[in-house]
C-alpha cells in the first residue's frame, strides 16, 4: 500500500482523539480543578470502613490533588487485531495550569506502522481551555476545534470526564456506577511499585458504546498513571504509556505558544456546537 494512503489511514478518528484527550487531559487528577475546595471523596464527617478498591481510589485522589505541572514522554499504540494492524507513535506531553486555566501540549514526533521502520511523523496537539489545535506537518494541515466559549474557558478535566473515566478524576461513586472495578494483583516483579485497576463496563453505562474494559497502572508513590489500555466494542486496543515524568517542576508558558506555518494554508475551523435553548 502506498505510504500516502497509510498516512491518511493513520489520521486520528474521533474515537482515537477522544481517547487520547480523555487520558491526557485527565492524567493530573480531579482536585486540581478545584484547588480552593476539599475533594468530597477525600474527607467524610466520620470514619467509615472502605473496601480495598475505595481505599485505593481515595488515596490516589489525595496524591494528585497538589499537582500543578506535568511533563512526560508518551508512547501511543493503536491496535486493530481484526486487520492485523498496529501503529506506534512517540512524543512528548506538557501540562500546566496558569491563572485558573489549563493548558496541554502533545507533540508526536515519530510513527511506526506494522513492520515498517520507525520514521519521523510530526503531529502537534495544543489545548488552551477554549481551542484544540491540531497541526499535521506531513500533510501540512491545521485544524482548530472550539470546545468552549471564549469568555468561559473549559477545565480540561471536565472535558475529559465526558468521554473517558480517569482514575483520580472521576468521583468514586460515579466510577462504580458505570464500571465494575477491581484491584488486580500484579505478579510481574518489574511492576511491583504499581497499582493496577481493571474496569469492566456495565451494560447500562454511558461508556458502553466506547469501551468494553479499561486497565490502569498507577505509580503507587505519586498516584499518576503510568500505563492505560482501553478495549473498544470493535476489538480495537488503545494503549498509552507515560515515561520519565517530571512532576511539579514547572513548565515555561512559551511551550504552549505555536505558529501555523505559511505553507499550511488556511486552517479548518470547527466552531463550538451551540446547545439548543431550553424550553421555558
Amino acid at each position: 500500500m502506498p505510504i500516502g494512503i497509510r498516512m491518511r489511514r493513520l489520521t486520528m478518528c474521533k474515537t482515537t482523539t477522544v481517547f487520547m484527550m480523555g487520558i491526557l487531559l485527565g492524567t493530573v487528577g480531579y482536585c486540581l480543578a478545584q484547588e480552593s475546595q476539599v475533594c468530597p471523596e477525600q474527607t467524610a464527617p466520620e470514619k467509615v470502613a472502605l473496601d480495598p478498591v475505595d481505599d485505593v481510589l481515595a488515596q490516589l485522589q489525595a496524591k494528585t490533588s497538589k499537582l500543578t505541572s506535568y511533563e512526560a514522554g508518551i508512547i501511543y499504540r493503536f491496535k486493530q487485531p481484526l486487520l492485523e494492524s498496529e501503529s506506534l507513535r512517540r512524543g512528548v506531553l506538557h501540562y500546566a495550569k496558569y491563572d485558573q486555566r489549563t493548558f496541554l501540549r502533545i507533540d508526536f514526533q515519530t510513527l511506526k506502522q506494522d513492520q515498517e521502520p520507525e520514521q519521523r511523523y510530526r503531529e502537534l496537539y495544543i489545548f488552551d481551555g477554549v481551542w484544540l489545535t491540531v497541526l499535521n506537518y506531513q500533510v501540512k494541515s491545521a485544524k482548530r476545534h472550539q470546545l468552549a466559549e471564549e469568555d468561559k474557558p473549559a477545565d480540561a478535566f471536565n472535558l475529559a470526564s465526558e468521554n473517558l473515566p480517569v482514575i483520580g478524576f472521576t468521583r468514586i461513586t460515579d466510577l462504580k456506577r458505570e464500571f465494575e472495578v477491581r484491584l488486580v494483583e500484579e505478579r510481574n516483579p518489574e511492576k511491583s511499585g504499581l497499582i493496577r485497576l481493571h474496569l469492566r463496563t456495565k451494560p447500562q453505562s454511558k461508556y458502553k458504546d466506547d469501551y468494553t474494559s479499561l486497565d490502569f497502572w498507577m505509580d503507587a508513590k505519586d498516584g499518576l498513571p503510568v500505563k492505560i489500555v482501553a478495549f473498544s466494542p470493535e476489538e480495537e486496543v488503545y494503549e498509552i504509556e507515560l515515561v520519565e515524568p517530571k512532576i511539579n517542576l514547572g513548565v515555561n508558558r512559551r511551550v504552549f505558544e505555536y505558529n501555523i506555518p505559511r505553507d499550511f494554508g488556511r486552517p479548518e475551523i470547527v466552531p463550538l456546537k451551540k446547545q439548543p435553548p431550553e424550553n421555558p
Side-chain angles (χ1 to χ4, degrees):
M1 180 182 295
I3 187 67
I5 295 178
R6 282 196 296 271
M7 293 304 184
R8 286 194 293 272
R9 285 179 60 189
L10 283 165
T11 300
M12 293 199 174
C13 64
K14 178 182 178 182
T15 303
T16 304
T17 304
V18 162
F19 172 74
M20 283 205 316
M21 282 194 63
I23 290 176
L24 299 174
L25 292 175
T27 49
V28 293
Y30 173 72
C31 292
L32 182 58
Q34 303 181 36
E35 287 180 333
S36 63
Q37 301 178 26
V38 177
C39 181
E41 296 292 352
Q42 293 180 27
T43 60
E46 59 182 29
K47 293 184 178 180
V48 295
L50 297 177
D51 70 29
V53 170
D54 288 356
D55 192 23
V56 167
L57 292 173
Q59 290 181 45
L60 292 174
Q61 284 186 335
K63 289 178 180 179
T64 60
S65 63
K66 296 182 180 180
L67 195 66
T68 57
S69 69
Y70 183 86
E71 296 178 279
I74 177 172
I75 302 171
Y76 172 59
R77 292 181 177 87
F78 176 52
K79 304 176 184 179
Q80 296 175 294
L82 296 179
L83 300 177
E84 298 182 347
S85 177
E86 177 177 340
S87 62
L88 169 68
R89 309 182 72 177
R90 300 178 190 271
V92 182
L93 176 151
H94 302 271
Y95 168 89
K97 184 174 184 179
Y98 306 108
D99 303 324
Q100 303 302 310
R101 187 161 174 167
T102 55
F103 292 81
L104 175 77
R105 176 187 174 115
I106 310 162
D107 193 349
F108 284 111
Q109 299 165 350
T110 66
L111 166 69
K112 185 180 187 304
Q113 176 69 20
D114 298 326
Q115 302 303 316
E116 295 185 2
E118 191 167 9
Q119 58 188 291
R120 181 168 177 78
Y121 187 94
R122 190 178 182 205
E123 194 165 24
L124 179 64
Y125 292 74
I126 293 185
F127 175 68
D128 64 3
V130 174
W131 292 93
L132 170 66
T133 302
V134 183
L135 304 181
N136 187 309
Y137 289 80
Q138 278 58 235
V139 298
K140 297 183 179 181
S141 67
K143 194 169 186 177
R144 304 191 72 214
H145 304 258
Q146 186 177 1
L147 303 181
E149 297 286 357
E150 292 283 358
D151 59 344
K152 297 179 181 179
D155 184 87
F157 314 115
N158 291 333
L159 289 176
S161 66
E162 294 176 4
N163 301 299
L164 182 88
V166 181
I167 304 300
F169 169 63
T170 307
R171 288 170 56 93
I172 296 174
T173 51
D174 295 341
L175 191 68
K176 298 183 78 171
R177 182 178 62 249
E178 306 291 345
F179 297 91
E180 297 175 4
V181 186
R182 65 182 179 89
L183 281 169
V184 178
E185 182 180 358
E186 191 57 74
R187 298 173 182 265
N188 187 341
E190 295 181 358
K191 297 182 179 179
S192 59
L194 302 180
I195 297 171
R196 181 182 177 186
L197 288 172
H198 177 74
L199 282 63
R200 181 168 295 279
T201 311
K202 291 183 177 181
Q204 75 280 9
S205 172
K206 66 180 180 180
Y207 301 106
K208 67 181 185 302
D209 295 331
D210 299 314
Y211 313 106
T212 57
S213 65
L214 302 99
D215 285 279
F216 291 78
W217 285 262
M218 281 77 59
D219 188 297
K221 183 178 179 180
D222 58 41
L224 296 176
V226 173
K227 182 177 179 179
I228 306 171
V229 180
F231 300 86
S232 79
E234 292 76 26
E235 299 186 26
E236 297 170 333
V237 183
Y238 306 89
E239 179 180 313
I240 281 183
E241 291 184 62
L242 299 169
V243 298
E244 300 181 357
K246 298 178 181 178
I247 303 168
N248 289 343
L249 297 182
V251 178
N252 191 317
R253 195 158 187 163
R254 295 184 65 181
V255 167
F256 304 103
E257 298 176 359
Y258 67 93
N259 292 306
I260 299 177
R262 292 182 178 179
D263 57 348
F264 272 40
R266 187 182 299 275
E268 179 183 353
I269 305 297
V270 181
L272 179 68
K273 291 184 178 181
K274 299 293 185 179
Q275 296 294 331
E278 297 182 0
N279 294 327

Short mmCIF file of all heavy atoms in Angstrom, two decimals, residues 29-87:
data_model
loop_
_atom_site.label_atom_id
_atom_site.label_comp_id
_atom_site.label_asym_id
_atom_site.label_seq_id
_atom_site.Cartn_x
_atom_site.Cartn_y
_atom_site.Cartn_z
N GLY A 29 -5.49 14.56 37.58
CA GLY A 29 -6.38 14.41 38.73
C GLY A 29 -7.48 15.43 38.88
O GLY A 29 -7.42 16.52 38.34
N TYR A 30 -8.48 15.06 39.61
CA TYR A 30 -9.71 15.84 39.75
C TYR A 30 -9.54 17.07 40.63
O TYR A 30 -9.99 18.16 40.30
CB TYR A 30 -10.80 14.94 40.34
CG TYR A 30 -12.07 15.68 40.69
CD1 TYR A 30 -12.91 16.16 39.70
CD2 TYR A 30 -12.42 15.90 42.01
CE1 TYR A 30 -14.07 16.84 40.03
CE2 TYR A 30 -13.57 16.57 42.34
CZ TYR A 30 -14.39 17.03 41.35
OH TYR A 30 -15.53 17.70 41.65
N CYS A 31 -8.90 16.95 41.75
CA CYS A 31 -8.94 18.03 42.73
C CYS A 31 -8.18 19.28 42.29
O CYS A 31 -8.42 20.35 42.82
CB CYS A 31 -8.42 17.54 44.06
SG CYS A 31 -9.51 16.33 44.81
N LEU A 32 -7.25 19.14 41.33
CA LEU A 32 -6.56 20.32 40.84
C LEU A 32 -7.53 21.32 40.24
O LEU A 32 -7.32 22.52 40.27
CB LEU A 32 -5.52 19.91 39.79
CG LEU A 32 -4.66 21.03 39.20
CD1 LEU A 32 -3.92 21.76 40.29
CD2 LEU A 32 -3.71 20.46 38.17
N ALA A 33 -8.63 20.82 39.68
CA ALA A 33 -9.61 21.70 39.08
C ALA A 33 -10.38 22.49 40.12
O ALA A 33 -11.08 23.43 39.80
CB ALA A 33 -10.59 20.89 38.24
N GLN A 34 -10.25 22.09 41.38
CA GLN A 34 -10.98 22.77 42.45
C GLN A 34 -10.06 22.97 43.65
O GLN A 34 -10.32 22.50 44.73
CB GLN A 34 -12.19 21.92 42.86
CG GLN A 34 -13.14 21.62 41.70
CD GLN A 34 -14.32 20.81 42.15
OE1 GLN A 34 -14.82 20.97 43.25
NE2 GLN A 34 -14.76 19.91 41.31
N GLU A 35 -8.92 23.65 43.42
CA GLU A 35 -7.91 23.76 44.46
C GLU A 35 -8.43 24.44 45.71
O GLU A 35 -7.95 24.20 46.81
CB GLU A 35 -6.71 24.54 43.91
CG GLU A 35 -5.90 23.73 42.92
CD GLU A 35 -4.73 24.52 42.39
OE1 GLU A 35 -4.83 25.77 42.36
OE2 GLU A 35 -3.73 23.92 42.00
N SER A 36 -9.41 25.30 45.56
CA SER A 36 -9.91 26.03 46.72
C SER A 36 -10.94 25.24 47.50
O SER A 36 -11.42 25.70 48.53
CB SER A 36 -10.52 27.35 46.26
OG SER A 36 -11.64 27.11 45.42
N GLN A 37 -11.29 24.04 47.00
CA GLN A 37 -12.29 23.24 47.67
C GLN A 37 -11.67 21.94 48.16
O GLN A 37 -10.60 21.56 47.76
CB GLN A 37 -13.44 22.92 46.70
CG GLN A 37 -14.11 24.17 46.15
CD GLN A 37 -15.21 23.81 45.18
OE1 GLN A 37 -15.78 22.74 45.25
NE2 GLN A 37 -15.50 24.71 44.27
N VAL A 38 -12.36 21.28 49.04
CA VAL A 38 -11.91 19.99 49.53
C VAL A 38 -12.61 18.93 48.70
O VAL A 38 -13.82 18.96 48.53
CB VAL A 38 -12.26 19.79 51.02
CG1 VAL A 38 -11.85 18.40 51.48
CG2 VAL A 38 -11.58 20.87 51.85
N CYS A 39 -11.83 18.00 48.16
CA CYS A 39 -12.42 16.96 47.33
C CYS A 39 -13.38 16.13 48.16
O CYS A 39 -13.01 15.61 49.21
CB CYS A 39 -11.31 16.05 46.77
SG CYS A 39 -11.94 14.75 45.72
N PRO A 40 -14.64 15.98 47.73
CA PRO A 40 -15.64 15.31 48.54
C PRO A 40 -15.35 13.85 48.80
O PRO A 40 -15.86 13.28 49.73
CB PRO A 40 -16.93 15.49 47.73
CG PRO A 40 -16.47 15.72 46.33
CD PRO A 40 -15.18 16.47 46.46
N GLU A 41 -14.48 13.24 47.95
CA GLU A 41 -14.20 11.83 48.16
C GLU A 41 -13.05 11.62 49.15
O GLU A 41 -12.74 10.51 49.53
CB GLU A 41 -13.84 11.16 46.82
CG GLU A 41 -14.97 11.15 45.81
CD GLU A 41 -16.11 10.27 46.22
OE1 GLU A 41 -15.97 9.54 47.23
OE2 GLU A 41 -17.15 10.29 45.55
N GLN A 42 -12.38 12.70 49.56
CA GLN A 42 -11.21 12.55 50.40
C GLN A 42 -11.53 12.68 51.88
O GLN A 42 -10.77 12.25 52.72
CB GLN A 42 -10.15 13.58 50.03
CG GLN A 42 -9.57 13.36 48.63
CD GLN A 42 -8.54 14.40 48.32
OE1 GLN A 42 -7.89 14.95 49.20
NE2 GLN A 42 -8.36 14.69 47.04
N THR A 43 -12.62 13.33 52.21
CA THR A 43 -12.95 13.52 53.60
C THR A 43 -14.38 13.08 53.85
O THR A 43 -15.20 13.05 52.95
CB THR A 43 -12.80 15.00 54.01
OG1 THR A 43 -13.69 15.79 53.22
CG2 THR A 43 -11.37 15.47 53.80
N ALA A 44 -14.66 12.78 55.08
CA ALA A 44 -16.02 12.38 55.45
C ALA A 44 -16.26 12.82 56.87
O ALA A 44 -15.32 12.97 57.66
CB ALA A 44 -16.18 10.86 55.34
N PRO A 45 -17.51 13.08 57.25
CA PRO A 45 -17.78 13.55 58.59
C PRO A 45 -17.39 12.54 59.66
O PRO A 45 -17.11 12.91 60.79
CB PRO A 45 -19.29 13.78 58.58
CG PRO A 45 -19.80 13.01 57.41
CD PRO A 45 -18.70 13.02 56.41
N GLU A 46 -17.34 11.30 59.31
CA GLU A 46 -16.90 10.30 60.28
C GLU A 46 -16.18 9.19 59.53
O GLU A 46 -16.38 8.98 58.33
CB GLU A 46 -18.08 9.71 61.04
CG GLU A 46 -19.12 9.05 60.17
CD GLU A 46 -20.29 8.53 60.96
OE1 GLU A 46 -20.58 9.13 62.01
OE2 GLU A 46 -20.90 7.54 60.55
N LYS A 47 -15.29 8.49 60.19
CA LYS A 47 -14.54 7.44 59.56
C LYS A 47 -15.42 6.22 59.33
O LYS A 47 -16.13 5.79 60.22
CB LYS A 47 -13.34 7.05 60.44
CG LYS A 47 -12.29 8.15 60.55
CD LYS A 47 -11.09 7.68 61.33
CE LYS A 47 -10.02 8.77 61.39
NZ LYS A 47 -8.84 8.33 62.16
N VAL A 48 -15.34 5.73 58.10
CA VAL A 48 -16.08 4.52 57.77
C VAL A 48 -15.12 3.54 57.12
O VAL A 48 -14.11 3.93 56.53
CB VAL A 48 -17.25 4.81 56.82
CG1 VAL A 48 -18.28 5.69 57.49
CG2 VAL A 48 -16.75 5.47 55.54
N ALA A 49 -15.43 2.28 57.24
CA ALA A 49 -14.57 1.26 56.66
C ALA A 49 -14.75 1.24 55.15
O ALA A 49 -15.87 1.16 54.64
CB ALA A 49 -14.93 -0.11 57.24
N LEU A 50 -13.65 1.37 54.40
CA LEU A 50 -13.70 1.36 52.96
C LEU A 50 -13.32 -0.02 52.44
O LEU A 50 -12.48 -0.70 53.03
CB LEU A 50 -12.73 2.39 52.38
CG LEU A 50 -12.98 3.86 52.71
CD1 LEU A 50 -11.88 4.71 52.12
CD2 LEU A 50 -14.34 4.30 52.19
N ASP A 51 -13.93 -0.43 51.33
CA ASP A 51 -13.45 -1.67 50.73
C ASP A 51 -12.12 -1.36 50.05
O ASP A 51 -11.76 -0.20 49.84
CB ASP A 51 -14.49 -2.26 49.78
CG ASP A 51 -14.68 -1.45 48.51
OD1 ASP A 51 -13.74 -0.79 48.05
OD2 ASP A 51 -15.80 -1.49 47.96
N PRO A 52 -11.33 -2.38 49.71
CA PRO A 52 -9.98 -2.14 49.18
C PRO A 52 -9.96 -1.23 47.96
O PRO A 52 -9.06 -0.39 47.82
CB PRO A 52 -9.48 -3.55 48.84
CG PRO A 52 -10.24 -4.44 49.76
CD PRO A 52 -11.60 -3.81 49.91
N VAL A 53 -10.94 -1.37 47.05
CA VAL A 53 -10.96 -0.54 45.85
C VAL A 53 -11.20 0.92 46.22
O VAL A 53 -10.50 1.82 45.75
CB VAL A 53 -12.05 -1.03 44.87
CG1 VAL A 53 -12.25 -0.02 43.74
CG2 VAL A 53 -11.66 -2.38 44.29
N ASP A 54 -12.19 1.19 47.09
CA ASP A 54 -12.46 2.57 47.50
C ASP A 54 -11.26 3.18 48.20
O ASP A 54 -10.94 4.37 48.00
CB ASP A 54 -13.67 2.60 48.45
CG ASP A 54 -14.98 2.33 47.73
OD1 ASP A 54 -14.95 2.20 46.50
OD2 ASP A 54 -16.01 2.24 48.40
N ASP A 55 -10.58 2.39 49.00
CA ASP A 55 -9.42 2.88 49.74
C ASP A 55 -8.32 3.30 48.77
O ASP A 55 -7.73 4.38 48.91
CB ASP A 55 -8.92 1.79 50.68
CG ASP A 55 -7.90 2.32 51.68
OD1 ASP A 55 -7.89 3.55 51.93
OD2 ASP A 55 -7.10 1.52 52.19
N VAL A 56 -8.05 2.47 47.77
CA VAL A 56 -7.02 2.79 46.79
C VAL A 56 -7.40 4.03 45.99
O VAL A 56 -6.59 4.94 45.79
CB VAL A 56 -6.78 1.59 45.85
CG1 VAL A 56 -5.94 2.02 44.63
CG2 VAL A 56 -6.09 0.47 46.59
N LEU A 57 -8.65 4.11 45.55
CA LEU A 57 -9.09 5.27 44.77
C LEU A 57 -8.99 6.56 45.57
O LEU A 57 -8.57 7.60 45.06
CB LEU A 57 -10.53 5.06 44.30
CG LEU A 57 -10.75 3.96 43.25
CD1 LEU A 57 -12.24 3.74 43.01
CD2 LEU A 57 -10.04 4.30 41.95
N ALA A 58 -9.38 6.51 46.84
CA ALA A 58 -9.30 7.70 47.69
C ALA A 58 -7.85 8.14 47.88
O ALA A 58 -7.54 9.33 47.86
CB ALA A 58 -9.95 7.42 49.04
N GLN A 59 -6.95 7.17 48.05
CA GLN A 59 -5.53 7.51 48.22
C GLN A 59 -4.96 8.14 46.95
O GLN A 59 -4.19 9.10 47.01
CB GLN A 59 -4.74 6.25 48.58
CG GLN A 59 -5.02 5.72 49.98
CD GLN A 59 -4.18 4.49 50.29
OE1 GLN A 59 -2.99 4.46 50.01
NE2 GLN A 59 -4.80 3.47 50.84
N LEU A 60 -5.35 7.61 45.80
CA LEU A 60 -4.85 8.15 44.54
C LEU A 60 -5.35 9.58 44.33
O LEU A 60 -4.60 10.45 43.87
CB LEU A 60 -5.28 7.26 43.38
CG LEU A 60 -4.63 5.87 43.33
CD1 LEU A 60 -5.26 5.04 42.22
CD2 LEU A 60 -3.13 5.97 43.14
N GLN A 61 -6.62 9.85 44.66
CA GLN A 61 -7.15 11.20 44.53
C GLN A 61 -6.39 12.17 45.43
O GLN A 61 -6.08 13.30 45.04
CB GLN A 61 -8.63 11.22 44.86
CG GLN A 61 -9.50 10.66 43.75
CD GLN A 61 -10.98 10.81 44.04
OE1 GLN A 61 -11.39 10.90 45.20
NE2 GLN A 61 -11.79 10.84 43.00
N ALA A 62 -6.08 11.72 46.63
CA ALA A 62 -5.37 12.59 47.57
C ALA A 62 -3.98 12.94 47.06
O ALA A 62 -3.50 14.06 47.20
CB ALA A 62 -5.29 11.92 48.93
N LYS A 63 -3.31 11.96 46.40
CA LYS A 63 -1.95 12.18 45.93
C LYS A 63 -1.89 13.11 44.71
O LYS A 63 -0.88 13.78 44.48
CB LYS A 63 -1.30 10.83 45.59
CG LYS A 63 -0.99 10.00 46.82
CD LYS A 63 -0.39 8.65 46.45
CE LYS A 63 -0.08 7.82 47.67
NZ LYS A 63 0.49 6.49 47.34
N THR A 64 -2.95 13.15 43.91
CA THR A 64 -2.94 14.01 42.72
C THR A 64 -3.43 15.43 43.00
O THR A 64 -3.37 16.28 42.12
CB THR A 64 -3.82 13.40 41.61
OG1 THR A 64 -5.16 13.27 42.09
CG2 THR A 64 -3.30 12.03 41.18
N SER A 65 -3.88 15.70 44.21
CA SER A 65 -4.57 16.97 44.48
C SER A 65 -3.65 18.19 44.44
O SER A 65 -4.14 19.30 44.27
CB SER A 65 -5.26 16.91 45.85
OG SER A 65 -4.30 16.74 46.89
N LYS A 66 -2.33 18.00 44.57
CA LYS A 66 -1.42 19.14 44.61
C LYS A 66 -0.60 19.29 43.34
O LYS A 66 0.36 20.05 43.30
CB LYS A 66 -0.49 19.01 45.82
CG LYS A 66 -1.23 19.05 47.16
CD LYS A 66 -0.28 18.96 48.33
CE LYS A 66 -1.03 19.01 49.66
NZ LYS A 66 -0.12 18.92 50.83
N LEU A 67 -0.98 18.60 42.28
CA LEU A 67 -0.23 18.66 41.03
C LEU A 67 -0.49 19.98 40.31
O LEU A 67 -1.63 20.39 40.14
CB LEU A 67 -0.63 17.50 40.14
CG LEU A 67 0.30 17.20 38.97
CD1 LEU A 67 1.65 16.73 39.44
CD2 LEU A 67 -0.34 16.16 38.06
N THR A 68 0.57 20.67 39.88
CA THR A 68 0.44 21.94 39.17
C THR A 68 1.04 21.90 37.77
O THR A 68 0.70 22.72 36.93
CB THR A 68 1.11 23.07 39.96
OG1 THR A 68 2.49 22.73 40.19
CG2 THR A 68 0.42 23.28 41.30
N SER A 69 1.97 20.98 37.54
CA SER A 69 2.54 20.84 36.19
C SER A 69 3.01 19.40 36.01
O SER A 69 3.27 18.68 36.98
CB SER A 69 3.71 21.80 35.97
OG SER A 69 4.83 21.43 36.77
N TYR A 70 3.09 19.02 34.73
CA TYR A 70 3.44 17.63 34.43
C TYR A 70 4.04 17.56 33.04
O TYR A 70 3.51 18.14 32.09
CB TYR A 70 2.18 16.76 34.50
CG TYR A 70 2.41 15.28 34.28
CD1 TYR A 70 2.76 14.44 35.33
CD2 TYR A 70 2.25 14.71 33.02
CE1 TYR A 70 2.96 13.08 35.14
CE2 TYR A 70 2.44 13.35 32.82
CZ TYR A 70 2.79 12.55 33.88
OH TYR A 70 2.98 11.21 33.69
N GLU A 71 5.17 16.87 32.92
CA GLU A 71 5.79 16.61 31.64
C GLU A 71 6.20 15.14 31.59
O GLU A 71 6.61 14.57 32.60
CB GLU A 71 7.03 17.47 31.44
CG GLU A 71 6.77 18.96 31.38
CD GLU A 71 8.06 19.77 31.23
OE1 GLU A 71 8.73 19.99 32.25
OE2 GLU A 71 8.39 20.15 30.10
N ALA A 72 6.08 14.52 30.42
CA ALA A 72 6.46 13.11 30.29
C ALA A 72 6.61 12.76 28.83
O ALA A 72 6.02 13.39 27.95
CB ALA A 72 5.43 12.21 30.95
N GLY A 73 7.40 11.72 28.57
CA GLY A 73 7.40 11.12 27.24
C GLY A 73 6.12 10.32 27.08
O GLY A 73 5.59 9.78 28.07
N ILE A 74 5.62 10.23 25.86
CA ILE A 74 4.38 9.49 25.62
C ILE A 74 4.60 8.48 24.50
O ILE A 74 5.21 8.79 23.47
CB ILE A 74 3.22 10.45 25.27
CG1 ILE A 74 1.95 9.66 24.95
CG2 ILE A 74 3.57 11.39 24.14
CD1 ILE A 74 0.72 10.52 24.78
N ILE A 75 4.13 7.27 24.75
CA ILE A 75 4.16 6.19 23.75
C ILE A 75 2.71 5.78 23.52
O ILE A 75 2.03 5.35 24.46
CB ILE A 75 5.00 5.00 24.24
CG1 ILE A 75 6.43 5.44 24.57
CG2 ILE A 75 5.01 3.90 23.18
CD1 ILE A 75 7.26 4.36 25.25
N TYR A 76 2.24 5.92 22.29
CA TYR A 76 0.84 5.65 21.97
C TYR A 76 0.74 4.53 20.94
O TYR A 76 1.33 4.62 19.85
CB TYR A 76 0.17 6.91 21.46
CG TYR A 76 -1.23 6.70 20.93
CD1 TYR A 76 -2.23 6.18 21.75
CD2 TYR A 76 -1.55 7.00 19.61
CE1 TYR A 76 -3.51 5.97 21.27
CE2 TYR A 76 -2.83 6.81 19.12
CZ TYR A 76 -3.80 6.29 19.95
OH TYR A 76 -5.07 6.07 19.47
N ARG A 77 0.04 3.47 21.28
CA ARG A 77 -0.18 2.35 20.36
C ARG A 77 -1.67 2.24 20.04
O ARG A 77 -2.51 2.35 20.93
CB ARG A 77 0.30 1.03 20.98
CG ARG A 77 1.80 0.93 21.16
CD ARG A 77 2.19 -0.42 21.76
NE ARG A 77 3.63 -0.57 21.89
CZ ARG A 77 4.33 -0.15 22.95
NH1 ARG A 77 3.69 0.44 23.95
NH2 ARG A 77 5.63 -0.32 23.01
N PHE A 78 -1.95 1.98 18.77
CA PHE A 78 -3.32 1.74 18.33
C PHE A 78 -3.32 0.42 17.58
O PHE A 78 -2.66 0.28 16.54
CB PHE A 78 -3.81 2.88 17.44
CG PHE A 78 -5.18 2.66 16.86
CD1 PHE A 78 -6.25 2.31 17.68
CD2 PHE A 78 -5.40 2.81 15.50
CE1 PHE A 78 -7.53 2.10 17.15
CE2 PHE A 78 -6.67 2.61 14.96
CZ PHE A 78 -7.73 2.26 15.78
N LYS A 79 -4.06 -0.56 18.11
CA LYS A 79 -4.04 -1.90 17.54
C LYS A 79 -5.42 -2.26 16.98
O LYS A 79 -6.44 -1.99 17.62
CB LYS A 79 -3.65 -2.93 18.60
CG LYS A 79 -2.31 -2.65 19.27
CD LYS A 79 -2.01 -3.64 20.38
CE LYS A 79 -0.73 -3.31 21.11
NZ LYS A 79 -0.46 -4.27 22.23
N GLN A 80 -5.42 -2.89 15.81
CA GLN A 80 -6.63 -3.40 15.18
C GLN A 80 -6.41 -4.87 14.86
O GLN A 80 -6.02 -5.22 13.74
CB GLN A 80 -6.96 -2.60 13.92
CG GLN A 80 -7.29 -1.14 14.18
CD GLN A 80 -7.47 -0.35 12.90
OE1 GLN A 80 -6.53 -0.16 12.14
NE2 GLN A 80 -8.69 0.10 12.65
N PRO A 81 -6.64 -5.75 15.84
CA PRO A 81 -6.35 -7.17 15.64
C PRO A 81 -7.06 -7.79 14.45
O PRO A 81 -6.50 -8.64 13.76
CB PRO A 81 -6.82 -7.80 16.96
CG PRO A 81 -6.75 -6.69 17.96
CD PRO A 81 -7.11 -5.45 17.19
N LEU A 82 -8.30 -7.37 14.17
CA LEU A 82 -9.03 -7.96 13.06
C LEU A 82 -8.38 -7.65 11.72
O LEU A 82 -8.49 -8.43 10.76
CB LEU A 82 -10.49 -7.47 13.07
CG LEU A 82 -11.33 -7.87 14.28
CD1 LEU A 82 -12.73 -7.30 14.17
CD2 LEU A 82 -11.38 -9.39 14.42
N LEU A 83 -7.70 -6.52 11.64
CA LEU A 83 -6.99 -6.13 10.42
C LEU A 83 -5.51 -6.46 10.49
O LEU A 83 -4.76 -6.18 9.55
CB LEU A 83 -7.16 -4.63 10.15
CG LEU A 83 -8.59 -4.13 9.96
CD1 LEU A 83 -8.62 -2.63 9.77
CD2 LEU A 83 -9.25 -4.83 8.78
N GLU A 84 -5.10 -7.05 11.63
CA GLU A 84 -3.69 -7.36 11.86
C GLU A 84 -2.82 -6.12 11.64
O GLU A 84 -1.78 -6.16 10.99
CB GLU A 84 -3.23 -8.51 10.96
CG GLU A 84 -3.99 -9.82 11.21
CD GLU A 84 -3.48 -10.95 10.35
OE1 GLU A 84 -2.72 -10.69 9.39
OE2 GLU A 84 -3.83 -12.11 10.64
N SER A 85 -3.28 -5.01 12.20
CA SER A 85 -2.60 -3.74 12.02
C SER A 85 -2.27 -3.12 13.37
O SER A 85 -3.03 -3.25 14.34
CB SER A 85 -3.48 -2.78 11.22
OG SER A 85 -2.87 -1.51 11.09
N GLU A 86 -1.12 -2.46 13.44
CA GLU A 86 -0.71 -1.78 14.67
C GLU A 86 0.16 -0.59 14.32
O GLU A 86 1.07 -0.68 13.49
CB GLU A 86 0.07 -2.73 15.58
CG GLU A 86 0.58 -2.08 16.86
CD GLU A 86 1.30 -3.04 17.79
OE1 GLU A 86 1.08 -4.27 17.66
OE2 GLU A 86 2.09 -2.57 18.64
N SER A 87 -0.13 0.55 14.95
CA SER A 87 0.70 1.73 14.79
C SER A 87 1.27 2.14 16.14
O SER A 87 0.66 1.94 17.18
CB SER A 87 -0.11 2.89 14.18
OG SER A 87 -1.17 3.27 15.05
#
